[in-house]
Amino acid sequence: MESGRITPLQLFLLGLPLINSTGILYLPGLLLRVAGRDAWLAMVLGTAAALVLVLVLAPLLRHWPRLSFVQVARQSLGRPVGGALGVFLGLWLLHLGVVVLRQFGDFVATYVLPLTPQVVTQFLLLLPATWVLRAGLEVLARAGTMIVSVNIIFIIVIQALTVKEADFSNLTPVLENGMLPVLRGALISSAWFGEMVCLAFLWPRLTEPRRGPVAIVGSTLLTGTVMASSVMLALGVFGVAAAHLVFPVVNVSRQVAIGGFLERIEPLLVIWMVGSIFVKLALILLVAILALGQGLGLREPRRLAYPVGALTLVLATTGFAGIPDLGNWLRRVSPLLAPWWQLGVPALAAAGGLILGRRRRRGRPA
Amino acid sequence: MAARRKRALARVALGLALLLLLGGCWDRTEINDLAIIHAVSVDRVPDGRVRVGLEVVVPRAAPSPGGEGGGGGQPFFVVSAEAESVGMAVRRIQEKVPRRLFWGHMRALVVGEAVAREGLAGHLSFFVRQRNARFPTVIYVVPGQAQALLQVSTTLEPTSGRTLADLAQYDSVPRLRLRDFLVSLSAEGLDPVTLAARVEPAATGGGGEEDGRSVLAIAGLAIFQDDTLVGWLNEDEAVGLMFLGAPHRFDVAVLLLQATLPAQDGAQVSVVMNRVHVEVRPRRVQGRLTIGVRAYLEGEVVAATRPIPLDREQVLTQIERAVARAVEDRARGTLDRLRAMGVDPAGFGQAVHRQMPAVWRQVRERWRETLPDLPVEIRVTANILRTGKVQEEMLLEEGFREQEPR
């Protein structure tokens, strides 16, 4: 059985690339199309999804600090139901891993290596990610700490350099078309922020589980800030024309020209993306196999690492027809499906767990 | 133990093997396989097709930075082709160039008048989509044929692409990039403008032998209605556009204003601007939508045609008034031209959109019809802060005055 422990700080750091990787590439473009000038508001509202998740799950910590919510569901709702929830969550996470790998492949193909077959670039990202899966949570946390701390510096450098190019009066008038487009955008971004469910799953593996909620809320707020400011910068630099760009933030980084010598900083962004997506992919697949393992009651869930890796690669190369297809999924389909596994599964587990917890407490007063 | 060591070795070997891929997989490119493009021209040819010209850098002839000049010869050459679309023409050009065309260093896009008059959007699409193309590219419209600009043999900068990119820096027009064009095009109530350029002889007259050298020169601004060219502003009128509150980044430091002082026997002073701040505030005056333009500027006297006691406060006030009047006249002149063209490059509509969204919803549809008789109030405040290096006009000093025959 898995026994690795990580610190709350590590959990906090792992949460950053969870959304700030593929999210920074695709989400601004999607939100700008739906909510236009108010896309940054949609981003702010989207963070609520993660906060709701924490609110739902936090009470469980009191009763079962060392059990994940899938394990709680198995105890409280019974093996068949709880197990099914775990498998449901695991399969959706696997699908998310596929989407992430595909997003990575399409980004690399668009910006860096147009001639290289996607399966090659995807494989090169997936291979180390699978090794990390096999090695377990502690290794992922350490690799993540290293990569994410460097990435934070990159984020700050890129954003600071682009501020000069932005004209923030492009953000006015605010809420010209009312709240509806913002809410539609928030639905899309909440499907991204809901991925924080991966962190919530790892609570019981913390050295101090009770500090899990703080780590997640902190991670969410910082992520939300970076995402919202990225959208604001994109709007500041390109106005509403930003909505026509597939990767607005990449284009923003291309605008930087300081004093005629500091130009072409977009490689920084590509490095940041490759590192972050690596952490994100490994984290999602790790939680996927843990959820599958706990749902099915496997003793050695790590053994799923290679099969899951291979399946992810196959599905990622065959599952989508290209960026327009991927965009449709992200904009139209995923926002309606994501809440079921991101919020529905934890909510069911929490409901069952709380009822059982109360009953137990009454039976055996502490 | 041995098995373990073998496994470790195998891992290291695998890791090293991954290094092979760092070259870029299928996309490996060597710099000497690239044809680096500095400037692009797009022209209309009579049979409904477009001619695209590319200015390609010749690396061996280009002087290396800091070192000695290269092997001599022109550091660039121009290739062109004609086709139904920009993309197809570029394809044709690639057939004539033995290296892969590389767009990452494109500095300037030059468009011929005929193409611009038909609408630019369709032609820009290619450059916007190019993977390596960067939106800092400056965009120019040329009266006549654009390709002529690329073929000018430049003197100070190695290529016309570089020249065009830097030219606007020392002129009173804003440096307008492809990105600004796209931003204006997507904004509501703001028509795009681009720079205009032409070829001029480097030196004229003077009695010496003319060496026949030509230079590229800024020729004011090209004014668009949506993506279609409708007219031109000369450089003085372009300055007027700045005082009307156009949202582009004008470089005020090079802006020289001339003002006449009636109280000083019609002496003329030249004033350079240090800071210009323009606010556009739309409001309702007696139920009518009115644009209020409030310009505030700070300047410095750099020359006077006649001795003027610049240290006297009342003289400074006279200068400030005269400058303000000059600025207002210019802004009015530009406004009249824009009204005649029926366009809004100053972004009055955008100001309404941003500050009075509810009003904008009512006027948006017929904004263009409103433009010609939209009331615009212009108020200018000028502030003279410095008088250059000289406190008081030198010619006023005692020694000079005594020699004056009075």
Side-chain angles (χ1 to χ4, degrees), chain A residues 16 56 81 124 171 224 232 319 343-344:
Chain A
L16 298 179
V56 166
V81 179
L124 289 175
L171 295 176
M232 287 168 137
L343 214 53

Side-chain angles (χ1 to χ4, degrees), chain A residues 46-211:
Chain A
T47 58
L51 302 180
V52 169
L53 185 71
V54 172
L55 276 181
V56 166
L57 282 176
L60 283 185
L61 276 173
R62 240 175 82 203
H63 303 292
W64 290 282
R66 288 281 171 223
L67 291 185
S68 78
F69 61 82
V70 171
Q71 288 165 322
V72 172
R74 254 166 77 97
Q75 287 207 359
S76 59
L77 303 173
R79 275 192 182 194
V81 179
L85 284 181
V87 173
F88 182 68
L89 177 71
L91 289 178
W92 270 113
L93 282 169
L94 179 61
H95 184 269
L96 177 62
V98 170
V99 173
V100 169
L101 192 57
R102 180 68 195 204
Q103 286 170 333
F104 170 79
D106 276 328
F107 166 67
V108 172
T110 309
Y111 266 102
V112 198
L113 306 169
L115 300 179
T116 308
Q118 266 202 41
V119 66
V120 175
T121 50
Q122 289 177 350
F123 175 71
L124 289 175
L125 186 78
L126 190 68
L127 189 65
T130 317
W131 286 343
V132 169
L133 281 192
R134 181 86 187 143
L137 181 59
E138 277 185 28
V139 174
L140 171 61
R142 280 165 202 226
T145 309
M146 214 160 63
I147 293 169
V148 174
S149 6
V150 176
N151 284 348
I152 291 175
I153 299 170
F154 285 179
I155 297 175
I156 294 170
V157 169
I158 291 173
Q159 294 213 334
L161 290 181
T162 42
V163 166
K164 188 181 78 92
E165 300 287 320
D167 171 12
F168 291 107
S169 63
N170 284 344
L171 295 176
T172 54
V174 178
L175 288 182
E176 188 190 16
N177 300 315
M179 275 308 280
L180 203 66
V182 177
L183 291 175
R184 278 186 61 201
L187 200 62
I188 296 175
S189 61
S190 67
W192 242 278
F193 282 93
E195 290 167 14
M196 285 289 178
V197 72
C198 294
L199 296 196
F201 187 89
L202 295 173
W203 275 353
R205 307 288 291 277
L206 285 179
T207 47
E208 300 153 88
R210 277 171 209 286
R211 287 178 61 189

